[in-house]
Amino acid sequence: MRILTLSDSSGGLSLTDRPTGDDFLPLPHGLTLDDAVAVRASDVRAGDLVVAKFSDGAGVRPTEHIPAPYLANPHAVGVDCPCGGCAECQDLETWTLAEPDRVAGVAMRFICLAPAENSEPCTIVLRNRPLAVISSDVVKRAQSAAEKPRELVYSVTWHCNFDASTPQEAVRLAYEQLLSYATDAWPPVLDVEDEQGERLTIDMNTGSEVGR
């Protein structure tokens, strides 16, 4: 568990460990809740990853983890929304129709953090509601690191036969031959083995490759 604080409040928000059940997707790109910060919904920026929310009241405010964390795309409620009238927007419309004087306050009280997508309704929340998010900059860095190809470990060996009277003399002759490869000698043939034990012989003179 971590204690998060809002920039405009001295009270702490207890961010509990993320559930591991089937209903909760793991955070992407190797991100963890250690990367999360607390912000008001009105301060969420495009590309921020929303991972949890808290009640906007006083006292103990339990963590409500988002089952499927989403990248925010904030916009004003009812303004240029591509949803075409999702369930959340219809509910809000019904709420305002019940008392017409509520209409003027909708944009001041609510914000849409993510428009409807894949049959999911818009994510409409109170602008003042505290959320736990991972900033877009942190998300982008983690994504870039996750997409970078992992460097593999290869074992490269070279072998050659030498006529010598002792092991030490054979090593000296081998070392002299290795040094000669840097000048005008014939390039070596090298054996390469990867982490899975797959072997390949590469002739650096001809460029040919033979699997073993």
Side-chain angles (χ1 to χ4, degrees):
M1 183 178 72
R2 295 181 58 216
I3 303 298
L4 306 180
T5 56
L6 295 162
S7 61
D8 60 356
S9 173
S10 59
L13 300 168
S14 298
L15 179 62
T16 58
D17 295 339
R18 183 166 177 79
T20 57
D22 293 339
D23 294 335
F24 292 87
L25 298 178
L27 301 185
H29 316 312
L31 293 165
T32 71
L33 292 182
D34 289 339
D35 301 305
V37 296
V39 297
R40 302 282 185 186
S42 57
D43 293 326
V44 174
R45 299 292 177 255
D48 288 352
L49 183 69
V50 183
V51 298
K53 53 187 177 181
F54 308 89
S55 66
D56 57 349
V60 179
R61 294 187 274 188
T63 308
E64 185 178 340
H65 290 275
I66 308 295
Y70 59 89
L71 294 176
N73 180 20
H75 63 82
V77 173
V79 177
D80 298 328
C81 184
C83 75
C86 70
E88 287 295 324
C89 288
Q90 290 175 359
D91 287 346
L92 191 60
E93 183 178 1
T94 301
W95 181 75
T96 54
L97 289 176
E99 294 186 32
D101 60 343
R102 292 173 174 170
V103 175
V106 166
M108 295 178 60
R109 294 188 61 191
F110 297 93
I111 185 171
C112 179
L113 293 181
E117 186 178 22
N118 298 329
S119 75
E120 293 294 328
C122 289
T123 303
I124 299 174
V125 299
L126 289 166
R127 295 178 62 88
N128 201 46
R129 183 157 195 176
L131 302 173
V133 306
I134 299 175
S135 71
S136 60
D137 290 341
V138 175
V139 173
K140 289 177 181 176
R141 286 197 297 269
Q143 183 177 11
S144 297
E147 292 176 350
K148 181 180 179 179
R150 184 176 71 87
E151 292 186 353
L152 303 177
V153 177
Y154 293 93
S155 176
V156 181
T157 58
W158 164 85
H159 65 271
C160 188
N161 296 323
F162 295 96
D163 294 327
S165 57
T166 65
Q168 290 75 16
E169 183 183 0
V171 168
R172 180 182 58 78
L173 292 172
Y175 181 64
E176 290 176 354
Q177 183 162 328
L178 287 172
L179 291 176
S180 71
Y181 291 141
T183 56
D184 59 351
W186 196 265
V189 177
L190 300 174
D191 293 332
V192 183
E193 182 175 344
D194 63 18
E195 296 173 332
Q196 286 73 44
E198 295 292 329
R199 294 184 178 183
L200 189 68
T201 297
I202 300 177
D203 188 330
M204 295 186 66
N205 180 61
T206 64
S208 62
E209 300 180 1
V210 180
R212 297 176 60 188

